[in-house]
Amino acid sequence: MKFQVLIASKGRPDCPTAQLLCQGMVPEFTILVEPGEQAAYEEKWPGRTEAIPENGKGLAYVRQYALTEMKQKTGWYWMLDDDIQGFHEAANWRCLTVKAAYALAKAEQQILALEAKLGTIGMAGLEYQQFAWRATKDWMSPGYCDVAVAINRDAVGPEYDQNFKMKVDRDMTLQYLASGYRVVRLCTLAFSAPKNGSNEGGLKAAYAQDKLELQMVEAMVAKWGTKICSHVVKPDGRHDCRIDWSALKGTI
């Protein structure tokens, strides 16, 4: 593996993703935590944590810290959510569970090969397990990048919008596309994770706030316009943002 591996975590000292990386032969990773929680994380993960400067600033804040303030300020890095349950590879209409090191290293090889072919890639992501099994190609461009995302610090310009409490990564993906960079999703390498807001820690408190997700969807529509973003209500009643990724640059 060549990319730096970071985990953004809040309220989950046990950090399922860190456990998965250790089990999956990933030797080096850093957990980014709020200063008020670092002691609890260090007890479980000694020497593997780094405290961001302030508490309670939200997901966009820690994402931006990783992008611009880490000691390693160039090159690619993985930004992983803290509750990943598994890594997978799709083959023959099935999703097989694989080691974290295998999934991330293979993803890195594909990303760098695609960048040599397509030009500078700003962001690349793995697929959701529930969709990967039916993939008919190894990659697509553009599309969402969630949960297990590789970021290219050398693709300068986009910055995480601090006004968003949710939809942070979707907004950043659109920023890369609007800046002329490629965004790639690897269709046969995947992750599994709990449903948004279903487990303690992370953004659970945000998802529990009445109307906050609707407000964030409305903010996406206001920022990017109705030709790109539209408000939809999912069968479970959740408000979400449907995005026409082809409406911006970086499509093929």
Side-chain angles (χ1 to χ4, degrees):
M1 293 176 53
K2 298 180 180 179
F3 298 2
Q4 185 181 18
V5 180
L6 306 177
I7 305 168
S9 189
K10 179 177 173 63
R12 295 179 180 136
D14 286 343
C15 199
T17 300
Q19 295 181 38
L20 193 63
L21 295 182
C22 288
Q23 296 164 4
M25 309 301 289
V26 177
E28 295 183 10
F29 58 85
T30 300
I31 308 172
L32 300 179
V33 300
E34 293 187 350
E37 294 188 335
Q38 189 176 24
Y41 277 85
E42 273 291 315
E43 185 175 347
K44 178 70 177 180
W45 306 103
R48 291 186 180 271
T49 72
E50 178 167 335
I52 60 177
E54 297 184 53
N55 293 312
K57 300 288 284 187
L59 183 60
Y61 178 81
V62 67
R63 293 279 203 259
Q64 187 62 34
Y65 175 82
L67 183 65
T68 60
E69 302 299 330
M70 295 289 291
K71 293 177 182 177
Q72 182 177 324
K73 293 185 179 180
T74 60
W76 285 89
Y77 66 98
W78 287 104
M79 175 53 72
L80 306 178
D81 284 7
D82 62 354
D83 58 352
I84 297 175
Q85 297 173 324
F87 289 97
H88 313 275
E89 183 174 29
N92 300 318
W93 305 102
R94 297 173 60 197
C95 255
L96 305 176
T97 299
V98 297
K99 295 288 188 182
Y102 171 87
L104 298 181
K106 186 167 184 178
E108 291 175 10
Q109 292 174 359
Q110 292 184 3
I111 292 166
L112 295 176
L114 285 170
E115 189 169 46
K117 175 182 178 181
L118 301 175
T120 303
I121 295 173
M123 172 186 280
L126 306 190
E127 181 58 278
Y128 286 86
Q129 179 194 18
Q130 59 264 37
F131 303 132
W133 67 271
R134 65 190 185 195
T136 57
K137 52 188 176 182
D138 289 338
W139 61 278
M140 66 177 294
S141 175
Y144 57 77
C145 293
D146 294 340
V147 182
V149 181
I151 304 290
N152 185 0
R153 289 192 183 95
D154 295 331
V156 298
E159 295 190 346
Y160 288 92
D161 191 331
Q162 302 299 304
N163 294 311
F164 285 100
K165 307 304 178 186
M166 300 175 178
K167 310 301 179 188
V168 172
D169 296 319
R170 300 291 170 100
D171 172 73
M172 191 62 163
T173 304
L174 288 171
Q175 287 193 56
Y176 277 115
L177 291 172
S179 298
Y181 295 114
R182 292 283 186 179
V183 170
V184 171
R185 186 159 77 250
L186 304 179
C187 302
T188 58
L189 292 170
F191 60 85
S192 51
K195 180 181 177 181
N196 290 342
S198 64
N199 53 337
E200 293 298 325
L203 292 178
K204 183 177 178 63
Y207 280 104
Q209 291 184 43
D210 186 38
K211 297 184 179 180
L212 179 59
E213 192 162 22
L214 173 59
Q215 292 170 2
M216 294 298 98
V217 170
E218 291 173 340
M220 285 285 288
V221 175
K223 180 174 181 176
W224 294 103
T226 55
K227 290 184 178 180
I228 296 173
C229 294
S230 57
H231 173 212
V232 296
V233 179
K234 292 190 170 184
D236 63 0
R238 273 190 60 218
H239 297 280
D240 203 358
C241 186
R242 177 180 291 131
I243 298 174
D244 181 0
W245 300 105
S246 65
L248 287 170
K249 299 177 181 179
T251 65
I252 82 168

